[in-house]
Structure formats: structure tokens, C-alpha cells
Amino acid sequence: MLRLARENPTWGYRRIHEELATQGVRLAASSVWAILQRHDIDPSPRTSGPTWSEFLAAQAHSLLACDFFSVDTVLLRRLYVLFFIEIDTRRVCTSLVSRRTR
């Protein structure tokens, strides 16, 4: 267990517990936590890499969000709308397709 923790510093105690379980070692996750804590190994280390907000900020220039929906008008017409927005600039592009309903 300690070897797994030292060789894989980004793994937390739950990941180590799962790995031990696949090797047939039956041990509670809380026991793994306690043993790592006793040996001065952080049981749940911060993963290396960006946070979710840092990732989105870095990728915003190439991300799009889209939606497709319909709108029923007062004149009993149904409009279909395909909606895109660029995340970085918040520029909106829409495509409106109308179709007669009977």
C-alpha cells in the first residue's frame, strides 16, 4: 500500500483501496486512509493539473454551446431554432427554420 502511494503520488486513498481490491486484498478504505496518515502520506493529494475553471478559461476560444428547440407561435406556426453561442466572445449564431403545421 505504501509503495503504491509513493509510486503514484496523485492517487488518493480510494484509488489505492480500489487497486488493492483488484489484487485480492480485502481492507476497508478507512484503514487505507489511516495507514497513509500514520506514515505522513497525504491520503487525498491534490491532483496535478488545472482546475475546472482554469481548463474552461484556457479552452474558451474553441468551445461552442448549442441548443435545438421549437417555438409555437400565436398563429399556430411552429418555428425550429438551432442556436449556437461562442463561449469566448459570447457571439450568438442562430438558424431559424419554419414549417407549417396542420
Side-chain angles (χ1 to χ4, degrees), residues 21-37:
T22 61
Q23 296 175 7
V25 177
R26 294 178 47 107
L27 191 63
S30 59
S31 297
V32 174
W33 185 89
I35 293 168
L36 292 177
Q37 187 78 16

Side-chain angles (χ1 to χ4, degrees), residues 60-66 83-93:
H61 67 278
S62 61
L63 288 176
L64 291 175
C66 68
F83 176 89
F84 291 94
I85 184 169
E86 293 178 2
I87 301 298
D88 189 33
T89 62
R90 297 192 177 167
R91 190 176 71 145
V92 174
C93 302

Side-chain angles (χ1 to χ4, degrees), residues 47-62:
T47 59
S48 61
T51 63
W52 182 245
S53 59
E54 291 170 343
F55 170 78
L56 287 180
Q59 300 298 321
H61 67 278
S62 61

Side-chain angles (χ1 to χ4, degrees), residues 7 21 29 33 38 44 54 56 61 69 73 79 81 98:
E7 290 177 359
W33 185 89
R38 193 176 319 132
S44 55
E54 291 170 343
L56 287 180
H61 67 278
F69 57 93
T73 66
L79 303 175
V81 180
S98 65

Side-chain angles (χ1 to χ4, degrees), residues 69-73 77-81 96-99 101:
F69 57 93
S70 63
V71 178
D72 294 325
T73 66
R77 294 191 56 162
R78 178 166 287 161
L79 303 175
Y80 295 96
V81 180
L96 180 66
V97 179
S98 65
R99 186 176 127 186
T101 58

